């Protein structure tokens, strides 16, 4: 057997694991290896032949002397034989070498041819591998594209299925709805009939309501003809309903009536007018008269006339005005009388106090203890009487002396009041905290009196072992918070830690000369809170309080930031 050489393709052509192996035959071993052995054998056989020839003629060498040359004992024939054998060996070696050389040349040519064929085959394999790689890349790319298309088609298929399912569900829903509508048609007809009956019933009720109304109501079309009259209108006009229907509005009520017509959206835009209407018997009466326009699709289709007899009400209003004027004159006279009486009463009181002081100064030591006690009681009574008269004058001046309203800064006014009350504040060790206060339009003197009375009460009515603590704050309430459409309101709060009171006496503490404690416990006349109430009422406000015994009191005063008369202006 012969061995072979393995030729591998380069790694850059294809992967070594996939590249085929090219097998090139190698020269036989006897050409490459045994050639030298043959040459050695030929030379050895030649030499051995020569030696054998010498050995055959060895008996002729036995008599040769030791001093002669060895070659002299060899015969001429043996010499030539040996020479011939050696020459034949050389010739045979040369022939063998030539033959082997020729065989090597032939094998090299075959090897060269095999290498060329192997290179060609390797090139073809390289081309095949490149084509195979290109085809595989193209197939991989195409496979990815197909997978993407399959994914898209799968997604579209799912969407189509969902759409089909949705349409099937919609179809089932529509079928069910159609069945439900078909089933509801009869029910709807029943409801329509019932609704029609209800509308007819409501229409009859409306007619009954209109007929039972205490005001005269007439319906007038676009041309001015009366199309509806309720019994009250016929009774007020002294005519029958049938005679009034069909008449012109101007003929029935007179051509001199006011022409203002209020719309349904703004019926309050025009107030009712006072007119004089003529009955069928030619008698007259005073009535409130109002026209309201009826529109349909923003187009006037007629109007409603409302009127009622206000003769008695007008007479009562006139009588009330007379009574109010008479009461105002009486109040003015009473206030003047109170002022004059208070002023005149102070003169004898001043004399009583003056003579009492003189008596105490000159004869005080000479008076017995009982007389000194009587004198002290007389002077105290005179002082209390003067205080009552002064408070009564203050109470009467709240209404009799009305200064014009101006802008009043409550912060500045409160500081001035606290400055006036500096002595009682220091005497009681009180703490007064004042928060931010607004500015409002009011009578500054009366607001000063209001704050002075409230803060003075907070300093006065406290437990003996507790130092007074007064907190003054204010909030501006919007009309929605205050519950009145008049305008923003200032809620003034005066809170103390005093003795407090039971809220069942809330009305009593704001009355004149009403006290919850005797004068030995707390001094005063019981007029201060009554003055506060009159001041707040004069400003269009209110005053109230919250309290519990032993837990202090909180007085809440609500005053409009701008009086009602000024808002109207």
């Amino acid at each position: 057997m012969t061995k072979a050489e393995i030729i591998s393709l380069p790694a850059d052509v294809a992967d070594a694991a996939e590249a085929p192996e090219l097998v090139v035959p190698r020269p036989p071993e006897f050409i490459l290896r045994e050639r030298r052995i043959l040459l050695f054998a030929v030379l050895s056989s030649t030499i051995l032949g020569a030696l054998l020839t010498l050995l055959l003629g060895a008996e002729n060498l036995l008599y040769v002397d030791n001093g002669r040359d060895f070659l002299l004992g060899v015969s001429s024939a043996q010499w030539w034989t040996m020479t011939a054998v050696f020459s034949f060996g050389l010739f045979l070696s040369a022939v063998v070498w030539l033959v082997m050389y020729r065989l090597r040349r032939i094998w090299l040519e075959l090897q060269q041819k095999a290498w060329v064929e192997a290179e060609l085959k390797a090139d073809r394999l390289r081309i095949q591998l490149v084509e195979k790689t290109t085809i595989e890349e193209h197939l991989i790319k195409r496979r990815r594209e197909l997978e993407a298309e399959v994914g898209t088609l799968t997604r579209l298929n799912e969407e189509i299925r969902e759409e089909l399912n949705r349409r099937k569900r919609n179809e089932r829903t529509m079928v069910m709805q159609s069945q439900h509508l078909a089933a509801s048609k009869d029910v709807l007809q029943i409801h329509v009939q019932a609704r029609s009956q209800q509308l007819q019933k409501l229409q009859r009720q409306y007619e009954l309501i209109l007929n039972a109304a205490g005001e005269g109501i007439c319906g007038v079309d676009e041309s001015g003809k009366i199309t509806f009259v309720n019994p009250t209108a016929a009774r007020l006009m002294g005519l029958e309903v049938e005679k009034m229907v069909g008449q012109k509005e101007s003929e029935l009520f007179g051509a001199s009536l006011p022409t203002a017509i209020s719309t349904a959206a703004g019926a309050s835009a025009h107030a009712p007018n006072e007119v004089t209407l003529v009955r069928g018997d030619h008698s007259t009466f005073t009535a409130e008269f109002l026209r309201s326009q009826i529109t349909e699709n923003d187009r006037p289709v007629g109007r409603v006339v409302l009127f009622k007899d206000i003769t008695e009400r007008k007479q009562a209003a006139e009588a009330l005005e007379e009574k109010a004027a008479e009461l105002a004159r009486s109040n003015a006279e009473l206030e003047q009388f109170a002022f004059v009486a208070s002023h005149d009463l102070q003169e004898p009181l001043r004399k009583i106090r003056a003579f009492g002081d003189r008596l105490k100064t000159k004869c005080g030591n000479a008076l017995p203890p009982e007389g000194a006690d009587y004198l002290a009681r007389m002077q105290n009574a005179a002082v209390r009487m003067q205080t009552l008269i002064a408070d009564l004058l203050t109470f009467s001046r709240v209404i009799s002396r009305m200064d014009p309203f101006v802008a009043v800064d409550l912060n500045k006014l409160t500081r001035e009041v606290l400055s006036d009350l500096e002595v009682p504040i220091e005497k009681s060790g009180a703490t007064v905290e004042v928060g931010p206060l607004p500015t409002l339009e009011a009578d500054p003197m009366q607001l000063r009196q209001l704050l002075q009375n409230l803060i003075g009460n907070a300093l006065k009515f406290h437990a003996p072992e507790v130092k007074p603590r007064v907190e003054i704050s204010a909030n501006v309430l919007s009309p929605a918070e205050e519950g009145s459409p008049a305008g923003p309101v200032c809620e003034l709060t005066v809170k103390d830690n005093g003795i407090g009171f039971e809220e069942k006496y809330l009305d009593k503490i704001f009355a004149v000369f009403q006290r919850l404690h005797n004068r030995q416990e707390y001094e005063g006349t019981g007029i201060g809170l009554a003055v506060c109430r009159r001041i707040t009422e004069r400003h269009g406000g209110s005053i109230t309080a919250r309290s519990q015994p032993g837990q202090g009191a909180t007085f809440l005063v609500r005053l409009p930031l701008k009086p009602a008369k000024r808002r109207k202006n």
Side-chain angles (χ1 to χ4, degrees), residues 19 55 64 70 88 146 177 210 245 271 334 351 357 360-361 391 399 436 438 456 459 464 488 490 541 546 554:
L55 290 175
V64 177
F70 171 72
F88 179 75
L146 291 175
Q177 288 179 352
L210 292 175
V245 174
L334 287 174
K351 289 184 177 180
D357 292 337
K360 184 177 181 180
T361 303
D391 291 342
I399 300 300
L459 297 174
C490 168
R546 293 195 298 265
T554 301

Side-chain angles (χ1 to χ4, degrees), residues 265-474:
S268 61
H270 299 285
N273 297 288
E274 288 189 8
V275 298
T276 302
L277 299 180
V278 181
R279 295 189 179 95
D281 58 358
H282 301 291
S283 62
T284 60
F285 66 96
T286 305
E288 275 188 355
F289 194 87
L290 177 67
R291 285 189 178 100
S292 297
Q293 185 170 276
I294 303 174
T295 60
E296 183 177 358
N297 297 327
D298 297 331
R299 187 177 65 86
V301 294
R303 56 185 174 271
V304 176
V305 176
L306 295 92
F307 62 96
K308 63 179 178 180
D309 189 354
I310 60 170
T311 303
E312 294 181 358
R313 190 181 74 181
K314 189 173 182 181
Q315 293 174 355
E318 293 175 353
L320 184 62
E321 289 179 358
E322 293 177 359
K323 291 291 184 182
E326 184 179 354
L327 182 61
R329 289 193 298 272
S330 176
N331 288 336
E333 291 175 358
L334 287 174
E335 289 173 2
Q336 184 66 24
F337 172 77
F339 177 77
V340 172
S342 304
H343 186 271
D344 292 341
L345 285 174
Q346 290 196 31
E347 181 61 24
L349 286 175
R350 283 194 293 270
K351 289 184 177 180
I352 292 173
R353 290 189 63 185
F355 285 111
D357 292 337
R358 290 182 181 180
L359 181 62
K360 184 177 181 180
T361 303
K362 294 184 177 180
C363 305
N365 296 328
L367 290 175
E370 187 176 1
D373 181 57
Y374 292 159
L375 181 60
R377 290 186 181 185
M378 181 186 68
Q379 288 182 323
N380 290 335
V383 171
R384 289 198 304 274
M385 189 63 183
Q386 277 191 328
T387 304
L388 284 173
I389 293 173
D391 291 342
L392 185 60
L393 283 174
T394 302
F395 184 76
S396 63
R397 285 169 182 167
V398 173
I399 300 300
S400 60
R401 295 181 60 182
M402 294 186 292
D403 295 334
F405 287 3
V406 296
V408 179
D409 184 359
L410 290 181
N411 293 287
K412 180 180 178 181
L413 187 63
T414 303
R415 289 194 297 269
E416 294 176 356
V417 171
L418 293 178
S419 177
D420 295 340
L421 297 174
E422 184 177 0
V423 173
I425 291 175
E426 292 181 355
K427 183 179 179 181
S428 61
T431 302
V432 181
E433 296 182 0
V434 182
L437 303 178
T439 298
L440 50 83
E441 293 188 9
D443 185 339
M445 294 301 298
Q446 292 187 356
L447 278 191
R448 176 190 291 271
Q449 185 69 43
L450 173 68
L451 288 172
Q452 188 166 351
N453 289 353
L454 293 177
I455 299 173
N457 285 347
L459 297 174
K460 179 170 58 175
F461 295 101
H462 68 90
E465 68 279 1
V466 179
K467 292 184 178 181
R469 181 182 181 86
V470 184
E471 298 178 5
I472 304 172
S473 61

